[in-house]
Amino acid sequence: MTPVDLLEFFPFDIADGPTFLALYFVLSVVGLVATALLARARGDAVELRLAPVASSALEPTAPSAVPSIGDVVDVVGYRVAPAEVRRRLAIGSVPASDENWAIAWMRGGVASLTDALLAHAVAEGVLVPSDAPKDFDVVVRPTKDRVLSYFHVMLATAGSCVSATRARQAAYETATAVGPELAAEARAAGLERPSAAHAASRRVVLVGGALLLGIGVLRAVRGVALDHPIGYLVGLMLLDAIATMALGMVSSASVMRRRYLEWVDASTVSLRADVRSGRRTIPSEVTLAVAVEGAVRLLSSPMFAPMADVFDASSYRPAERRVVTWSGSSSSSNDPPWGGGSSSGGSSSSCSSSSSSSSSCSSSSGGGGGGCGG
Amino acid sequence: MQSKRWTLQVQGEATGIGFRPELAADLLHDTACVDLVEVVAERLFSRRDAMREALALREIWPIAVHGVKLSLASATGIDDDRAARLGRLARELRAPFVTEHVALTEVGGRELGHLTAVPFHRQAVATVGRNVARARRFLPDVPFLLENVAWTLRWPSDEMTEGQFHTEIVRATGCPLLLDVANVYANARNSGVDPRVLLESYPLDAVAMIHVAGGRLDDGFWFDTHAHDLSAEVLELLAIAIAHCGAVPVVLERDDDFPEFAQTRRELETLRSMARKGLPKTPMVTDMDTDAQAPPSIRTDETSPGSEFAEQQAMAEALLGDEVGSFEARAIRRTRAVLRKKRLEDARAFLPRLFGACGDRVEQLARTMLGEAPRPGRHVAPSDALRIADALTDEPGLGDDARWDRLLLRARFRGPDARGELRSRAAPYVARERIGARTLWVWKGPGTAAKVHTWWGGSAT
């Protein structure tokens, strides 16, 4: 029995010509999409199975279930005793101010964290719009927040009066520097997909890709046996293989992270509306709003119009990567700026349009472009 | 007919607050200041964001569902669809209670726009019993509490006292009572009765939850405004109620003129310390017939729904028309004023951008507009909101927000028709509006409850 005899059934017996190629192309596209969805679902399932502590946060607190007729409805548990140790980055725990950075990081990485840092700085009065357009006075305040402390040092290093571009650069560099720590915090909170889940996803991708390639191989074997050209088919199979490998390398976001970010987004609907309308201007709330939904919607409020310059992404392109080292006088040379309680504090100055251009711009080492003083 | 035994046990002190967007940030900042929150169901029905928020908040506090538009006293029955949505909402939020008012909010399909008191007679008791039995078909798995309301007019046909009426209601429906102490105070004061005497005439053994709120005296009449601090008199009544009822959840209602949250927190602390003094409530057991069409104590064939409907229609005519009928003219004028104020508040919920940006200015303009506009029969709030948004599109400084709100309203409603009424939009919808220098697009899928999506197009040229 020849391969031709064995493969005398649909779709392998389709006559020569573009019909099979078209069918194979459609099958590949549909198959790869389905594989991607299945891989994600499989990864989610494994992640949820491996994260019992984190998933328990999704369970109701009190009461535990809707009562049914005949039940004794015991709602004694209205007052839920506060947990001895508050869980960070968990569904049901309203984010503390220092959790906003991790939220911003998880939502949009460096770009999102940069926006959140700038929003906090403007709301807290660390960056104060000066008389000169697109310039900001830097009024650094002492803070115990490690991320903020780092950012304040970066700002102070840039000068007492900075351009919007320099301010954004300082935030960007801070975000880049603290990112790994925030990623670790997310991991510790169970908001990162474990490697076992990634592996499970990849296995699904491999199986899906193998099935698609297998169909191509069988058709190719039949083509060779009949001495038919198979060049186009092999080309399509190569594309399949590349797409499969690419899919295998793509890491789906953690399902726990997605759920947590969705929960923070939903639980702060009113808070964010208040921030947008200008009713709430507490820095931590402004930061949370930006961390959750970005700066764009916030800027639609006239209240935050002065912030537009620092958020104007188009005005900033990451410049030459500056090596961030800390050699402050009060801490050892290798400590990060947030170490040792060495937050800079209390420096205050104002931009005068004549002096600012020399002071802040000359102190720039990263050179994001733009200048102080009109 | 299947008779089931309904047991409701509520014990332990619990202090809650009516959740309002204005309170959200402070509540999130200090989650321990309340033990539960109460959400208004109709607000969640009309705003998807509010629904998402409530679903998220249930991970922080238990959420009680408070209905305001089921119109349990309507002679023509309740809206089954609304009752079904209430049931679905309670299940989604895992609500420990669903509460609704013993009141009229619509008559013959015409929205009154406010919780209007019902006549204190046996026919009304029968109607409420029938409607509650019907509502319970859609709320089979959650305790259903009935709340007393504050009245701004009394009916010429009253034949029993307020306390007797609510005792009959509890007996007829088998439902526990949500006692609004502020409403008891307002009603007592406005009828010249000792509030304590009126309170004690209520079936206090059946109370499973308490509401308190502030009010104010205006032109010799006490209004339960939910916009003022708690008065000493209401707190005094609350203490008496707790002494009788035992420790039941006490919920503070504040809907407007929000003070600094520190003041609200002080009020909550006061309520908590008072609730602690209540003895543990003994389990309250009531029998209810979940499949009954008629309440147990009053048979529907003793009543004449036709005459009751005529009576309710006459009241609706008096409130929405020009004639006062057999009602006291002053009471009708007073109630009309309440309805006008409420109408603006209801429209406000559909104009988040306009009121969010320039609330005071918009309120002033909107009040003038609505004062002159005829009241549509149904979908009053979105109709009014659309009218306001339409009128403000050319207003300097408000045009963009008005166009934004109008676009979202049009995505959800079609019309107005010849009678000035809107209809929910079931068909898919795509439209755009120029907002400033950009174009805002909206898209809605099929179905009246479909989500409305927005996205920005490119800069307008």
Side-chain angles (χ1 to χ4, degrees):
Chain A
M1 190 173 280
T2 66
V4 178
D5 298 328
L6 287 171
L7 296 170
E8 275 303 316
F9 58 90
F10 185 83
F12 304 104
D13 60 350
I14 293 175
D16 284 355
T19 310
F20 182 84
L21 283 177
L23 180 70
Y24 188 65
F25 177 75
V26 171
L27 193 66
S28 297
V29 171
V30 173
L32 285 171
V33 169
T35 299
L37 293 175
L38 277 174
R40 178 171 153 151
R42 175 69 185 143
D44 287 355
V46 172
E47 184 186 344
L48 288 173
R49 185 162 48 80
L50 293 176
V53 175
S55 60
S56 71
L58 299 174
E59 296 305 315
T61 49
S64 58
V66 171
S68 51
I69 288 174
D71 285 355
V72 171
V73 184
D74 181 0
V75 287
V76 178
Y78 273 126
R79 284 194 67 67
V80 180
E84 282 181 18
V85 180
R86 182 183 165 280
R87 284 204 295 141
R88 290 171 65 81
L89 302 174
I91 287 176
S93 296
V94 178
S97 59
D98 64 341
E99 288 169 70
N100 294 339
W101 314 124
I103 292 169
W105 174 263
M106 288 190 287
R107 193 183 66 83
V110 170
S112 180
L113 181 55
T114 301
D115 282 350
L117 285 164
L118 290 168
H120 193 283
V122 174
E124 199 182 23
V126 170
L127 284 174
V128 184
S130 76
D131 296 337
K134 300 200 172 192
D135 278 2
F136 291 84
D137 290 330
V138 177
V139 186
V140 176
R141 299 164 199 277
T143 174
K144 289 179 180 172
D145 185 307
R146 291 155 57 83
V147 175
L148 272 186
S149 178
Y150 192 116
F151 181 39
H152 288 183
V153 169
M154 297 299 292
L155 278 175
T157 307
S160 57
C161 168
V162 296
S163 66
T165 308
R166 283 304 316 278
R168 189 164 184 84
Q169 184 183 351
Y172 177 85
E173 289 172 352
T174 303
T176 308
V178 302
E181 180 174 312
L182 298 176
E185 188 178 0
R187 198 177 311 123
L191 303 181
E192 191 170 281
R193 179 159 280 198
S195 54
H198 281 305
S201 286
R202 276 196 291 272
R203 279 195 292 276
V204 172
V205 170
L206 280 177
V207 170
L211 279 174
L212 290 173
L213 284 174
I215 293 170
V217 167
L218 291 178
R219 173 72 177 189
V221 168
R222 184 179 184 275
V224 170
L226 293 172
D227 204 18
H228 291 165
I230 57 167
Y232 287 120
L233 178 60
V234 170
L236 268 181
M237 289 165 61
L238 270 176
L239 284 178
D240 262 351
I242 292 168
T244 302
M245 280 193 290
L247 263 184
M249 284 190 286
V250 170
S251 302
S252 295
S254 155
V255 62
M256 299 302 296
R257 176 182 296 192
R258 286 200 308 268
R259 287 184 182 181
Y260 175 70
L261 291 178
E262 280 166 14
W263 178 79
V264 174
D265 181 278
S267 61
T268 55
V269 163
S270 297
L271 182 149
R272 285 182 281 124
D274 273 356
V275 169
R276 282 197 299 276
S277 69
R279 260 192 86 226
R280 306 286 296 196
T281 54
I282 297 172
S284 62
E285 291 176 354
V286 173
T287 310
L288 179 58
V290 172
V292 170
E293 68 180 356
V296 174
R297 292 193 70 185
L298 191 68
L299 294 176
S300 63
S301 162
M303 174 77 71
F304 292 95
M307 297 164 75
D309 289 334
V310 288
F311 286 119
D312 183 4
S314 63
S315 71
Y316 176 67
R317 296 282 181 277
E320 175 191 345
R321 180 79 177 89
R322 192 165 56 154
V323 178
V324 182
T325 55
W326 177 247
S327 54
S329 58
S330 62
S331 66
S332 65
S333 60
N334 290 327
D335 284 345
W338 59 55
S342 63
S343 62
S344 54
S347 81
S348 171
S349 175
S350 65
C351 284
S352 68
S353 56
S354 59
S355 65
S356 63
S357 70
S358 61
S359 64
S360 67
C361 292
S362 61
S363 67
S364 161
S365 59
C372 298
Chain B
M1 193 178 285
Q2 186 187 10
S3 182
K4 290 179 179 174
R5 190 171 179 78
W6 183 277
T7 308
L8 175 67
Q9 176 183 342
V10 181
Q11 57 183 330
E13 90 273 5
T15 309
I17 195 164
F19 185 84
R20 305 289 179 269
E22 292 86 346
L23 295 169
D26 287 311
L27 288 172
L28 288 178
H29 197 256
D30 184 6
T31 55
C33 71
V34 290
D35 310 312
L36 77 157
V37 296
E38 182 185 77
V39 293
V40 174
E42 280 70 12
R43 184 174 171 268
L44 305 193
F45 294 158
S46 65
R47 298 187 63 176
R48 186 169 284 265
D49 268 358
M51 182 66 201
R52 281 181 61 230
E53 186 174 33
L55 285 169
L57 296 181
R58 76 180 179 178
E59 305 295 343
I60 304 175
W61 305 284
I63 296 185
V65 171
H66 190 46
V68 294
K69 287 193 174 173
L70 201 50
S71 202
L72 286 174
S74 281
T76 47
I78 58 166
D79 177 353
D80 284 354
D81 182 50
R82 189 179 289 278
R85 290 165 80 185
L86 207 55
R88 279 198 299 274
L89 180 64
R91 283 184 284 280
E92 280 186 83
L93 294 178
R94 302 193 291 257
F97 314 121
V98 172
T99 60
E100 187 41 277
H101 301 82
V102 181
L104 275 169
T105 55
E106 68 163 46
V107 173
R110 292 175 73 186
E111 289 180 22
L112 297 178
H114 187 55
L115 298 160
T116 307
V118 296
F120 296 149
H121 56 46
R122 291 175 62 79
Q123 208 169 331
V125 174
T127 299
V128 172
R130 195 169 52 241
N131 288 340
V132 167
R134 186 152 190 91
R136 290 218 55 89
R137 290 183 164 191
F138 303 98
L139 298 156
D141 48 5
V142 60
F144 190 40
L145 278 55
L146 302 178
E147 181 177 3
N148 58 308
V149 298
W151 46 258
T152 50
L153 62 83
R154 282 309 328 148
W155 297 64
S157 56
D158 283 348
E159 58 183 37
M160 56 177 95
T161 67
E162 191 173 325
Q164 286 168 340
F165 176 75
H166 287 93
T167 304
E168 286 299 321
I169 289 287
V170 169
R171 193 175 299 156
T173 60
C175 290
L177 201 62
L178 162 53
L179 179 71
D180 192 319
V181 171
N183 289 347
V184 172
Y185 175 74
N187 292 347
R189 182 160 181 158
N190 293 331
S191 52
V193 179
D194 181 348
R196 187 182 178 129
V197 171
L198 179 57
L199 179 76
E200 287 173 350
S201 71
Y202 267 72
L204 297 180
D205 289 344
V207 172
M209 185 173 177
I210 292 176
H211 269 177
V212 287
R216 85 185 149 91
L217 192 64
D218 187 2
D219 197 19
F221 196 87
W222 186 269
F223 288 90
D224 175 48
T225 59
H226 295 194
H228 294 80
D229 296 342
L230 294 178
S231 65
E233 293 88 345
V234 167
L235 289 175
E236 195 179 319
L237 269 193
L238 174 65
I240 297 167
I242 288 174
H244 278 84
C245 311
V248 294
V250 180
V251 170
L252 173 66
E253 292 183 297
R254 183 85 190 206
D255 296 340
D256 210 347
D257 282 347
F258 295 92
E260 288 293 316
F261 193 69
Q263 164 65 16
T264 307
R265 193 187 289 113
R266 274 194 296 276
E267 290 188 339
L268 289 166
E269 282 305 318
T270 303
L271 298 181
R272 175 163 292 152
S273 65
M274 293 175 74
R276 280 189 187 133
K277 291 176 186 160
L279 295 172
K281 182 153 177 81
T282 50
M284 183 181 63
V285 179
T286 55
D287 287 320
M288 77 168 297
D289 197 342
T290 52
D291 291 339
Q293 287 297 308
S297 63
I298 298 179
R299 288 160 54 87
T300 48
D301 53 11
E302 289 173 1
T303 67
S304 170
S307 65
E308 190 187 11
F309 179 57
E311 184 186 26
Q312 291 184 357
Q313 268 203 316
M315 186 273 298
E317 284 302 323
L319 292 183
L320 306 178
D322 298 324
E323 301 299 323
V324 297
S326 57
F327 292 89
E328 188 198 347
R330 194 173 170 193
I332 290 292
R333 278 200 301 277
R334 183 168 56 226
T335 311
R336 283 177 186 163
V338 172
L339 292 184
R340 276 197 298 275
K341 184 170 183 295
K342 193 80 181 122
R343 188 174 170 187
L344 179 59
E345 285 171 11
D346 289 349
R348 186 184 176 131
F350 288 90
L351 299 167
R353 297 281 306 186
L354 268 173
F355 277 92
C358 306
D360 291 344
R361 188 173 157 212
V362 174
E363 186 166 335
Q364 213 168 8
L365 293 166
R367 184 172 288 125
T368 312
M369 267 176 252
L370 295 185
E372 298 157 359
R375 186 185 180 86
R378 57 200 299 275
H379 285 320
V380 178
S383 300
D384 286 344
L386 190 60
R387 184 179 286 123
I388 293 166
D390 259 336
L392 296 183
T393 49
D394 296 325
E395 191 73 17
L398 298 176
D400 284 347
D401 290 320
R403 280 190 289 276
W404 186 310
D405 283 336
R406 184 178 66 178
L407 188 60
L408 292 181
L409 275 164
R410 285 189 173 155
R412 293 175 52 199
F413 299 95
R414 60 191 169 84
D417 59 18
R419 289 181 298 176
E421 292 178 5
L422 297 183
R423 296 258 186 272
S424 295
R425 188 184 292 282
Y429 183 78
V430 180
R432 64 181 176 173
E433 186 75 77
R434 187 172 170 170
I435 309 287
R438 304 178 74 187
T439 305
L440 181 71
W441 286 83
V442 299
W443 173 79
K444 183 190 82 73
T448 55
K451 183 175 182 179
V452 177
H453 303 267
T454 60
W455 74 95
W456 286 105
S459 298
T461 53

